[in-house]
Amino acid sequence: MLKCGFYEKEVTPPLGDLMPGYFGKRPAETVRDRLYVKALSMQMEEKTVIMIVLDAVATYDALCDGVLKRITEYTNVSAENIMISATHPHMGMPLPGRGGEFDEDDCAYSDVLIRYMADAAILAWQNMVPCKVLHNKSIEEGLGFNRNYIMKDGSIRTNPGWNNPNVERPYGPTDPEFQTLFFLDENDKPIGSLMSFACHHDSVGGAWGNKYSSDFSGIVAKNMKKEFGSDFVSVFMSGACGNINHIDIFRKEEKYEHPRYLDIGAQLSEAALKQFKTAEVLNTDSLDCIKEYVPVQKRYIPQEEIDEAFELFAPCREQSSSSVR
């Protein structure tokens, strides 16, 4: 028998903390959308798997090590069966141990964040009940675009600009498939979902102000609560989207009239609710997981090339950051 449990905790940081994700220090001035940590715990026989998702641009060793240590102190779940991931909003929270040029640790907040993240997982584990799982998927076009383009001169450029006449074609594909799992308790009441879609969580944009935001997955979560109740928890996993973002360089208008994440969230919400109505029961005869650490070597760029690039682009950096929406 499959058992599942969900839990979520608001972790919106204090105002004034820096939001990592762009090339500059951006202290948060207010809150557009609250930030959360969400957890899903699944158990079958002796196997338990926990998935934790944070509304942050990334996760780092200092963060994950503290979370895993606390979870294993309160549960019998092995660290090898616990996955910690980030939705990657560029309007998210500061993170301990990131150590970037435009980052500053808020040590007091980081300490609380680690405990809240672990506690969300612990409480999801404590709240497990017998469940059945429904699965469905759909193709959602018009939301994600490959941000790398092959130019007519054979070069490759990232975000080459709106209606650039020198663009030949996108460098690579996108993945428009939207997958959903809905979890129902013994009374067939929906208690949570696990979703995945491949598009950069950077569709709010700095031009709309320095405001904390969970981006489009936060809109989906709000709409799922409207449909299924305030206790419903939406766990959103970003698909492979390193070079997929929301910017359609061939759109008719150069700028969007409002933050694009609202449209993306609305379309995915509508799609999820349609999927729920026709979803099929998933075979849950077994539960397993594989966790592997893949080291990635940082690309080395000579300092003289970095200095030259900063000098070349210095005049247009401020104009570019304020006009792109």
Side-chain angles (χ1 to χ4, degrees), residues 38-64:
K38 303 179 181 183
L40 164 62
S41 180
M42 297 175 285
Q43 183 182 79
M44 181 171 287
E45 297 178 352
E46 301 300 318
K47 176 75 70 173
T48 302
V49 176
I50 295 178
M51 305 173 74
I52 304 168
V53 179
L54 180 66
D55 286 334
V57 74
T59 60
Y60 295 88
D61 288 346
L63 180 78
C64 295

mmCIF file of all heavy atoms in Angstrom, residues 38-64:
data_model
loop_
_atom_site.group_PDB
_atom_site.id
_atom_site.type_symbol
_atom_site.label_atom_id
_atom_site.label_comp_id
_atom_site.label_asym_id
_atom_site.label_seq_id
_atom_site.Cartn_x
_atom_site.Cartn_y
_atom_site.Cartn_z
ATOM 1 N N LYS A 38 8.102 23.245 0.202
ATOM 2 C CA LYS A 38 7.056 22.230 0.131
ATOM 3 C C LYS A 38 7.692 20.855 0.120
ATOM 4 O O LYS A 38 8.784 20.672 -0.431
ATOM 5 C CB LYS A 38 6.193 22.438 -1.118
ATOM 6 C CG LYS A 38 5.564 23.824 -1.171
ATOM 7 C CD LYS A 38 4.726 24.029 -2.414
ATOM 8 C CE LYS A 38 4.137 25.434 -2.436
ATOM 9 N NZ LYS A 38 3.254 25.660 -3.597
ATOM 10 N N ALA A 39 7.004 19.901 0.715
ATOM 11 C CA ALA A 39 7.559 18.551 0.814
ATOM 12 C C ALA A 39 6.498 17.510 0.522
ATOM 13 O O ALA A 39 5.324 17.666 0.863
ATOM 14 C CB ALA A 39 8.156 18.317 2.195
ATOM 15 N N LEU A 40 6.944 16.439 -0.122
ATOM 16 C CA LEU A 40 6.122 15.258 -0.393
ATOM 17 C C LEU A 40 6.865 14.034 0.129
ATOM 18 O O LEU A 40 8.024 13.821 -0.222
ATOM 19 C CB LEU A 40 5.870 15.123 -1.900
ATOM 20 C CG LEU A 40 5.368 13.768 -2.415
ATOM 21 C CD1 LEU A 40 4.018 13.413 -1.802
ATOM 22 C CD2 LEU A 40 5.299 13.774 -3.944
ATOM 23 N N SER A 41 6.204 13.264 0.979
ATOM 24 C CA SER A 41 6.780 12.024 1.495
ATOM 25 C C SER A 41 5.956 10.855 0.991
ATOM 26 O O SER A 41 4.721 10.865 1.061
ATOM 27 C CB SER A 41 6.787 12.032 3.031
ATOM 28 O OG SER A 41 7.331 10.835 3.540
ATOM 29 N N MET A 42 6.635 9.832 0.456
ATOM 30 C CA MET A 42 5.966 8.643 -0.076
ATOM 31 C C MET A 42 6.588 7.402 0.552
ATOM 32 O O MET A 42 7.813 7.312 0.684
ATOM 33 C CB MET A 42 6.104 8.591 -1.600
ATOM 34 C CG MET A 42 5.447 9.735 -2.316
ATOM 35 S SD MET A 42 5.749 9.714 -4.121
ATOM 36 C CE MET A 42 7.459 10.269 -4.160
ATOM 37 N N GLN A 43 5.735 6.436 0.898
ATOM 38 C CA GLN A 43 6.222 5.224 1.563
ATOM 39 C C GLN A 43 5.485 4.004 1.030
ATOM 40 O O GLN A 43 4.264 4.017 0.854
ATOM 41 C CB GLN A 43 6.017 5.333 3.065
ATOM 42 C CG GLN A 43 6.548 4.146 3.853
ATOM 43 C CD GLN A 43 6.261 4.301 5.337
ATOM 44 O OE1 GLN A 43 5.154 4.062 5.802
ATOM 45 N NE2 GLN A 43 7.282 4.731 6.082
ATOM 46 N N MET A 44 6.250 2.945 0.776
ATOM 47 C CA MET A 44 5.685 1.658 0.415
ATOM 48 C C MET A 44 6.562 0.578 1.037
ATOM 49 O O MET A 44 7.774 0.536 0.785
ATOM 50 C CB MET A 44 5.600 1.484 -1.100
ATOM 51 C CG MET A 44 4.992 0.165 -1.528
ATOM 52 S SD MET A 44 4.670 0.091 -3.314
ATOM 53 C CE MET A 44 3.257 1.188 -3.433
ATOM 54 N N GLU A 45 5.942 -0.242 1.874
ATOM 55 C CA GLU A 45 6.661 -1.271 2.624
ATOM 56 C C GLU A 45 7.788 -0.615 3.432
ATOM 57 O O GLU A 45 7.537 0.261 4.238
ATOM 58 C CB GLU A 45 7.164 -2.361 1.675
ATOM 59 C CG GLU A 45 6.024 -3.092 0.971
ATOM 60 C CD GLU A 45 6.509 -4.134 -0.011
ATOM 61 O OE1 GLU A 45 7.725 -4.202 -0.267
ATOM 62 O OE2 GLU A 45 5.652 -4.898 -0.511
ATOM 63 N N GLU A 46 9.034 -0.968 3.186
ATOM 64 C CA GLU A 46 10.137 -0.419 3.979
ATOM 65 C C GLU A 46 10.809 0.785 3.311
ATOM 66 O O GLU A 46 11.749 1.355 3.875
ATOM 67 C CB GLU A 46 11.192 -1.512 4.226
ATOM 68 C CG GLU A 46 10.662 -2.739 4.946
ATOM 69 C CD GLU A 46 10.097 -2.385 6.316
ATOM 70 O OE1 GLU A 46 10.720 -1.569 7.017
ATOM 71 O OE2 GLU A 46 9.033 -2.928 6.671
ATOM 72 N N LYS A 47 10.362 1.160 2.142
ATOM 73 C CA LYS A 47 11.002 2.241 1.387
ATOM 74 C C LYS A 47 10.244 3.557 1.583
ATOM 75 O O LYS A 47 9.032 3.627 1.389
ATOM 76 C CB LYS A 47 11.052 1.900 -0.090
ATOM 77 C CG LYS A 47 11.605 2.992 -0.983
ATOM 78 C CD LYS A 47 13.118 3.121 -0.884
ATOM 79 C CE LYS A 47 13.809 1.948 -1.514
ATOM 80 N NZ LYS A 47 15.280 2.101 -1.579
ATOM 81 N N THR A 48 10.979 4.619 1.944
ATOM 82 C CA THR A 48 10.412 5.958 2.060
ATOM 83 C C THR A 48 11.245 6.925 1.226
ATOM 84 O O THR A 48 12.470 6.911 1.293
ATOM 85 C CB THR A 48 10.387 6.438 3.520
ATOM 86 O OG1 THR A 48 9.631 5.523 4.316
ATOM 87 C CG2 THR A 48 9.753 7.826 3.619
ATOM 88 N N VAL A 49 10.566 7.753 0.465
ATOM 89 C CA VAL A 49 11.214 8.745 -0.383
ATOM 90 C C VAL A 49 10.601 10.110 -0.062
ATOM 91 O O VAL A 49 9.381 10.244 0.017
ATOM 92 C CB VAL A 49 11.021 8.424 -1.877
ATOM 93 C CG1 VAL A 49 11.623 9.520 -2.743
ATOM 94 C CG2 VAL A 49 11.622 7.069 -2.214
ATOM 95 N N ILE A 50 11.464 11.111 0.131
ATOM 96 C CA ILE A 50 11.003 12.465 0.429
ATOM 97 C C ILE A 50 11.541 13.422 -0.623
ATOM 98 O O ILE A 50 12.721 13.395 -0.962
ATOM 99 C CB ILE A 50 11.452 12.922 1.828
ATOM 100 C CG1 ILE A 50 10.789 12.059 2.910
ATOM 101 C CG2 ILE A 50 11.108 14.396 2.053
ATOM 102 C CD1 ILE A 50 11.227 12.412 4.323
ATOM 103 N N MET A 51 10.660 14.272 -1.130
ATOM 104 C CA MET A 51 11.036 15.301 -2.105
ATOM 105 C C MET A 51 10.738 16.667 -1.500
ATOM 106 O O MET A 51 9.620 16.911 -1.027
ATOM 107 C CB MET A 51 10.275 15.106 -3.412
ATOM 108 C CG MET A 51 10.440 13.720 -4.007
ATOM 109 S SD MET A 51 9.388 13.421 -5.447
ATOM 110 C CE MET A 51 10.232 14.407 -6.676
ATOM 111 N N ILE A 52 11.737 17.546 -1.508
ATOM 112 C CA ILE A 52 11.605 18.892 -0.955
ATOM 113 C C ILE A 52 11.867 19.891 -2.070
ATOM 114 O O ILE A 52 12.851 19.775 -2.798
ATOM 115 C CB ILE A 52 12.609 19.126 0.184
ATOM 116 C CG1 ILE A 52 12.457 18.062 1.275
ATOM 117 C CG2 ILE A 52 12.458 20.521 0.776
ATOM 118 C CD1 ILE A 52 13.592 18.053 2.277
ATOM 119 N N VAL A 53 10.995 20.879 -2.197
ATOM 120 C CA VAL A 53 11.156 21.899 -3.225
ATOM 121 C C VAL A 53 11.091 23.276 -2.563
ATOM 122 O O VAL A 53 10.171 23.559 -1.784
ATOM 123 C CB VAL A 53 10.077 21.785 -4.314
ATOM 124 C CG1 VAL A 53 10.257 22.886 -5.349
ATOM 125 C CG2 VAL A 53 10.143 20.422 -4.994
ATOM 126 N N LEU A 54 12.068 24.112 -2.893
ATOM 127 C CA LEU A 54 12.190 25.431 -2.290
ATOM 128 C C LEU A 54 12.055 26.509 -3.352
ATOM 129 O O LEU A 54 12.602 26.385 -4.451
ATOM 130 C CB LEU A 54 13.561 25.546 -1.604
ATOM 131 C CG LEU A 54 13.897 26.854 -0.898
ATOM 132 C CD1 LEU A 54 12.986 27.062 0.311
ATOM 133 C CD2 LEU A 54 15.365 26.867 -0.467
ATOM 134 N N ASP A 55 11.337 27.590 -3.020
ATOM 135 C CA ASP A 55 11.224 28.734 -3.923
ATOM 136 C C ASP A 55 12.496 29.567 -3.842
ATOM 137 O O ASP A 55 12.526 30.670 -3.280
ATOM 138 C CB ASP A 55 10.009 29.591 -3.555
ATOM 139 C CG ASP A 55 8.699 28.957 -3.962
ATOM 140 O OD1 ASP A 55 8.694 28.160 -4.912
ATOM 141 O OD2 ASP A 55 7.665 29.259 -3.328
ATOM 142 N N ALA A 56 13.570 29.024 -4.407
ATOM 143 C CA ALA A 56 14.869 29.684 -4.392
ATOM 144 C C ALA A 56 15.550 29.466 -5.728
ATOM 145 O O ALA A 56 15.211 28.551 -6.481
ATOM 146 C CB ALA A 56 15.735 29.137 -3.263
ATOM 147 N N VAL A 57 16.556 30.295 -6.021
ATOM 148 C CA VAL A 57 17.227 30.206 -7.312
ATOM 149 C C VAL A 57 18.062 28.938 -7.437
ATOM 150 O O VAL A 57 18.311 28.448 -8.533
ATOM 151 C CB VAL A 57 18.093 31.465 -7.557
ATOM 152 C CG1 VAL A 57 19.346 31.447 -6.709
ATOM 153 C CG2 VAL A 57 18.422 31.637 -9.032
ATOM 154 N N ALA A 58 18.493 28.373 -6.302
ATOM 155 C CA ALA A 58 19.312 27.161 -6.331
ATOM 156 C C ALA A 58 19.413 26.603 -4.921
ATOM 157 O O ALA A 58 18.874 27.169 -3.963
ATOM 158 C CB ALA A 58 20.701 27.465 -6.896
ATOM 159 N N THR A 59 20.085 25.482 -4.786
ATOM 160 C CA THR A 59 20.423 24.929 -3.476
ATOM 161 C C THR A 59 21.932 24.722 -3.418
ATOM 162 O O THR A 59 22.577 24.559 -4.457
ATOM 163 C CB THR A 59 19.714 23.592 -3.208
ATOM 164 O OG1 THR A 59 20.108 22.644 -4.216
ATOM 165 C CG2 THR A 59 18.205 23.760 -3.236
ATOM 166 N N TYR A 60 22.479 24.717 -2.194
ATOM 167 C CA TYR A 60 23.914 24.602 -2.021
ATOM 168 C C TYR A 60 24.226 23.670 -0.860
ATOM 169 O O TYR A 60 23.364 23.373 -0.028
ATOM 170 C CB TYR A 60 24.534 25.992 -1.796
ATOM 171 C CG TYR A 60 24.379 26.866 -3.003
ATOM 172 C CD1 TYR A 60 23.246 27.657 -3.187
ATOM 173 C CD2 TYR A 60 25.340 26.867 -3.998
ATOM 174 C CE1 TYR A 60 23.087 28.426 -4.317
ATOM 175 C CE2 TYR A 60 25.195 27.630 -5.148
ATOM 176 C CZ TYR A 60 24.065 28.417 -5.299
ATOM 177 O OH TYR A 60 23.907 29.162 -6.427
ATOM 178 N N ASP A 61 25.456 23.214 -0.809
ATOM 179 C CA ASP A 61 25.861 22.226 0.195
ATOM 180 C C ASP A 61 25.527 22.669 1.605
ATOM 181 O O ASP A 61 25.016 21.882 2.410
ATOM 182 C CB ASP A 61 27.360 21.934 0.077
ATOM 183 C CG ASP A 61 27.708 21.127 -1.167
ATOM 184 O OD1 ASP A 61 26.771 20.572 -1.781
ATOM 185 O OD2 ASP A 61 28.900 21.045 -1.504
ATOM 186 N N ALA A 62 25.829 23.924 1.935
ATOM 187 C CA ALA A 62 25.599 24.404 3.292
ATOM 188 C C ALA A 62 24.129 24.301 3.680
ATOM 189 O O ALA A 62 23.789 24.018 4.835
ATOM 190 C CB ALA A 62 26.085 25.846 3.433
ATOM 191 N N LEU A 63 23.268 24.533 2.720
ATOM 192 C CA LEU A 63 21.827 24.440 2.951
ATOM 193 C C LEU A 63 21.397 22.982 3.070
ATOM 194 O O LEU A 63 20.759 22.579 4.052
ATOM 195 C CB LEU A 63 21.083 25.124 1.812
ATOM 196 C CG LEU A 63 19.555 25.121 1.880
ATOM 197 C CD1 LEU A 63 19.069 26.164 2.865
ATOM 198 C CD2 LEU A 63 18.960 25.393 0.499
ATOM 199 N N CYS A 64 21.749 22.183 2.071
ATOM 200 C CA CYS A 64 21.289 20.794 2.024
ATOM 201 C C CYS A 64 21.837 19.965 3.181
ATOM 202 O O CYS A 64 21.118 19.137 3.745
ATOM 203 C CB CYS A 64 21.686 20.162 0.698
ATOM 204 S SG CYS A 64 20.878 20.918 -0.740
#
